[in-house]
Amino acid sequence: MRYLPLTDTDREDMLARIGVPDVDALFSDVPAGKLLKAPVDLPRAKGELEVERIMAKMSARNVAASSVPFFVGAGAYKHHVPATVDHLIQRSEFLTSYTPYQPEIAQGTLQYLFEFQTQIAALTGMEVANASMYDGSTGTGEAVLMAHRVTRRSKAVLSGGLHPHYAEVVRTLSEMANDAVVSLPPDVTASEDILSQIDDETSCVVVQNPDVFGNLRDLAPIAAKAQAHGALLIAVFTEVVSLGAIVPPGAMGADIVVGEGQSIGNALNFGGPYVGLFAAKSKYIRQMPGRLCGETVDSTGQRGFVLTLSTREQHIRRDKATSNICTNSGLCVLAFTIHMTLLGQAGFTRLAQVNHANAVKLADALSGMKGVSVLNESFFNEFTVKLGKPAAGVVEALSAKGILGGVPVSRLLPNAGLDDLLLVASTEINTDEDRAAFVAALAEVLA
């Protein structure tokens, strides 16, 4: 792409056509405290080779997730991804495929989207699933908007165990739509009285399981109370592997289930792209965001697949759309589907069992240490520990010793008075040697 410089006259003409006095007016919706007071302190220009050297030097300071014992989670988890997954998704017909508007030439894409939907419905215990969202957080925001459409109410109640990033996305969307949000305070021990927050004005209750602190929750009483008041229960998860071990949200009465599917088939990838999972009861299917693939037969009676319940308004007349998401995380969906197919039901269950067993081993080792307390009564593969020091400093010290030891809660909830709490995850990638190294290094740091 060529660089086409603009003259001052060009800029003035553009601003006049838009109807604003200056460029700064284009950023009027950004809070003043978030705007830079001066240009970023970077050289105006450097040669390509010079830039490569600078960036390489900076990246060398990172401790790569695959190079050391790794216990980081908090919504993005390191799992083993079979080589088969990467090999297949790089086939050109998958890697370069686009929106399957023409089913007659997109049967392969439509079929794996249909299979993906089937997998998600089975995993979540729900009746219908869509062909994915961008990620778990934006999917949660869409779920709240969907609940408002279904109930014709506009108040969402967010559990104090909901991932702070997910909660912030909901609050941002709600602010733009003038919807009400009741955010409960951080709930480290899963002891909040969320039932008392549900009333006849409530549109939905959003509860994460396992929650951001690792606690397992019984959603059935919340679903019953919400539905008695005409509200919906939105069940959220950030670790899809947990569905191989715990009661699925559909079996506990959830109306909408949404979460992050990164753990299956998708590497950490520096934070994305990921794949949002979205499922619901079939009676709400016409209010679901995104697109759905359906199975049919052609004129000769042969099995075929089509894009269905995805109105063109989502792509063209967007002001009339159910939702303004008009695509899906196609390649990430394919990676998920391939990995899940390779695992099968027995393999997925076994993967979940190994994750839980590894986390129990680590929790047992940490709970025996001086200055460390495991706060969870139940968990899947992630839990919260209370340290005798601020967790952020401990994590930095562990990194210097070649251990990526978790996520400080203060990273997610600054100024919440939880600076001594650390989120620790242990998946199938961790060995006994990794756990021993973590415990030894933590003992040195806390001494």
Side-chain angles (χ1 to χ4, degrees), residues 98 255 346 368 439:
Y98 191 54
D255 297 287
V439 170

Side-chain angles (χ1 to χ4, degrees), residues 35-195:
L35 294 172
L36 296 177
K37 305 301 182 185
V40 177
D41 184 20
L42 289 173
R44 296 300 298 169
K46 280 189 176 295
E48 184 176 335
L49 181 57
E50 293 174 296
V51 172
E52 287 179 356
R53 287 170 178 163
I54 293 170
M55 299 303 291
K57 186 176 180 180
M58 290 175 64
S59 65
R61 296 165 55 192
N62 290 328
V63 180
S66 59
S67 65
V68 296
F70 185 87
F71 300 92
V72 178
Y77 303 90
K78 183 169 176 56
H79 291 279
H80 172 67
V81 179
T84 305
V85 174
D86 191 53
H87 175 74
L88 290 176
I89 67 173
Q90 291 193 58
R91 290 180 60 96
S92 61
E93 58 266 49
F94 290 136
L95 195 61
T96 62
S97 64
Y98 191 54
T99 303
Y101 288 132
Q102 297 173 272
E104 65 274 15
I105 60 171
Q107 283 298 293
T109 298
L110 290 167
Q111 181 170 354
Y112 79 68
L113 291 175
F114 181 83
E115 300 295 347
F116 167 80
Q117 292 172 177
T118 305
Q119 291 172 341
I120 301 310
L123 287 173
T124 59
M126 300 301 287
E127 296 168 336
V128 63
N130 72 10
S132 87
M133 309 298 289
Y134 294 131
D135 54 34
S137 63
T138 53
T140 301
E142 289 278 1
V144 170
L145 296 178
M146 173 179 164
H148 293 343
R149 294 192 298 271
V150 170
T151 64
R152 301 193 178 186
R153 301 175 184 174
S154 59
K155 186 178 81 172
V157 176
L158 309 185
S159 164
L162 180 64
H163 195 295
H165 295 171
Y166 288 42
E168 191 60 32
V169 170
V170 172
R171 285 191 289 267
T172 298
L173 288 173
S174 299
E175 181 180 353
M176 295 297 110
N178 294 317
D179 295 331
V181 177
V182 176
S183 297
L184 275 63
D187 184 24
V188 178
T189 58
S191 57
E192 65 187 359
D193 182 14
I194 198 168
L195 296 181

Side-chain angles (χ1 to χ4, degrees), residues 79-85 88 119 123 239-244 261-266 334-355 380 428:
H79 291 279
H80 172 67
V81 179
T84 305
V85 174
L88 290 176
Q119 291 172 341
L123 287 173
E239 170 55 290
V240 65
V241 177
S242 68
L243 297 178
Q262 170 268 322
S263 290
I264 299 297
N266 291 272
L334 178 60
F336 181 104
T337 305
I338 294 170
H339 191 180
M340 188 61 69
T341 303
L342 291 170
L343 286 169
Q345 182 176 353
F348 185 65
T349 301
R350 176 60 179 159
L351 175 62
Q353 291 170 342
V354 171
N355 270 251
F380 172 60
E428 79 280 1

